[in-house]
Amino acid sequence: MREPTAARATIHDVARLAEVSTATVSRVLSGGKPVSPEVTERVRAAANDVGYRPNPAAQTLLRGSSRTVGVVVPDLGNPYFAEILKGLAAEAAAEKHHTLVAGTEEDPEQEYRSAIELARWVDGLLLCAPRMSTPRLREVAEAARRLVLINRVLRHHAVRSVVVDYHLGVRALCEHLAALGHKRIAYLQGPTAAWSDQQRQRGFRSPEASGLTIIRVPCGSTLADGREAVEEALTYKPTAIICFNDHVAVGVLSRLRELGLSVPHDLSVAGIDNAPMSAHTDPGLTTYAVSTVEVGRQAWSRFAPKPSTATTHIRGELITRASTAPPPHKSPRG
């Protein structure tokens, strides 16, 4: 009799070769009820001999678990989210879980659809900086077995959050620039739907009360957004620019160089997040450093059945590099 091939091997083939029932094969391969070591070894050897691979959907039904976490991010090209995924995936793999990732190109509707679809198949769902509306977010919370949010808070009994205290970061950047003698600062805003941008803007309230002039300029979260926002920012004649993130700041540095402006001699520039490229730009970028890998690790810990708190707060630290210096005697021309 010809041995079954890997492409068409079934659980019945394994049971026949191991001389056990199909129910026993299911228990062994799904990690269900205990089976004697002798039978377990025989079943696994038979499965290997015939090249049998359990159907993931069937395994999920048997275990009541997919051992998979779904992750939805607004921009897969942003290194901030890549670093978060690195931290989360490492923790998940250590506990024998898989990670499914969906990018949404900053589209709240696509984000919602991806989240609802993933929620059907995974044990837990992580939304990184979700852009969707609060009502839509509540729908996702009801659909998901477990939901963890990064840089977003939702009042819901089944939702946990990990948030970076960006208001403290912005405050630290403002204090740094004020100590250097800056008075007029342009802030390149993040996406309008970004909750974390709202938190950044909280940080400007105290500096404004202390006499700093803050000019808010619509921008976004990408390198291209930073390049495109430079000309408008310059019309306000700031002596320093704080960017929504380091990705934006790199775009700003590039465009300022094209315009013949020197950083920091003509204009100081600062970012947020301490992305990997920030120490290697020319000049090196002053930024508010956040351990994004730690954000991912903390997000994984929030999937525990009974986490200690609903919201975990993470603080960063100011890193000063060569992109900030005392302001010039004259503001750069617009």
Side-chain angles (χ1 to χ4, degrees), residues 9 52 86 89 117 141 174 189 196 217 221 223 236 262 310 315 323:
Y52 175 69
K86 183 187 296 184
E117 181 62 24
C174 285
Q189 298 172 302
S196 63
V217 179
S221 62
L223 187 150
Y236 298 103
S262 173
R315 293 189 177 189
S323 68

Side-chain angles (χ1 to χ4, degrees), residues 198-218:
Q198 299 170 20
Q199 300 309 301
R200 285 163 167 79
Q201 301 223 31
R202 280 179 56 199
F204 287 118
R205 296 173 187 169
S206 177
E208 283 179 325
S210 302
L212 284 178
T213 298
I214 307 297
I215 303 106
R216 292 163 174 80
V217 179

Side-chain angles (χ1 to χ4, degrees), residues 111-123:
E111 178 182 74
Y112 168 75
R113 292 196 304 268
S114 296
I116 288 294
E117 181 62 24
L118 276 175
R120 298 173 55 205
W121 303 102
V122 299
D123 295 337

Side-chain angles (χ1 to χ4, degrees), residues 255-323:
R255 184 57 182 149
L256 288 174
R257 189 177 300 112
E258 291 174 354
L259 294 173
L261 292 172
S262 173
V263 175
H265 303 296
D266 293 322
L267 194 73
S268 288
V269 177
I272 294 173
D273 288 335
N274 195 33
M277 82 281 275
S278 302
H280 307 290
T281 56
D282 183 19
L285 186 65
T286 291
T287 185
Y288 181 68
V290 177
S291 174
T292 43
V293 171
E294 181 61 21
V295 172
R297 290 173 179 154
Q298 288 294 330
W300 172 255
S301 73
R302 298 297 89 193
F303 284 112
K306 294 182 179 180
S308 57
T309 58
T311 302
T312 299
H313 291 265
I314 294 180
R315 293 189 177 189
E317 62 176 335
L318 179 68
I319 294 183
T320 57
R321 298 191 179 106
S323 68

Side-chain angles (χ1 to χ4, degrees), residues 57-121:
Q59 292 288 290
T60 296
L61 289 174
L62 285 169
R63 290 193 303 254
S65 166
S66 66
R67 302 193 71 81
T68 302
V69 173
V71 184
V72 181
V73 302
D75 181 6
L76 285 172
N78 190 327
Y80 177 82
F81 298 116
E83 291 294 306
I84 287 177
L85 286 171
K86 183 187 296 184
L88 174 78
E91 295 297 312
E95 297 190 27
K96 302 187 185 312
H97 277 67
H98 303 288
T99 306
L100 291 178
V101 182
T104 63
E105 301 296 328
E106 294 282 357
D107 182 346
E109 186 60 28
Q110 183 179 341
E111 178 182 74
Y112 168 75
R113 292 196 304 268
S114 296
I116 288 294
E117 181 62 24
L118 276 175
R120 298 173 55 205
W121 303 102

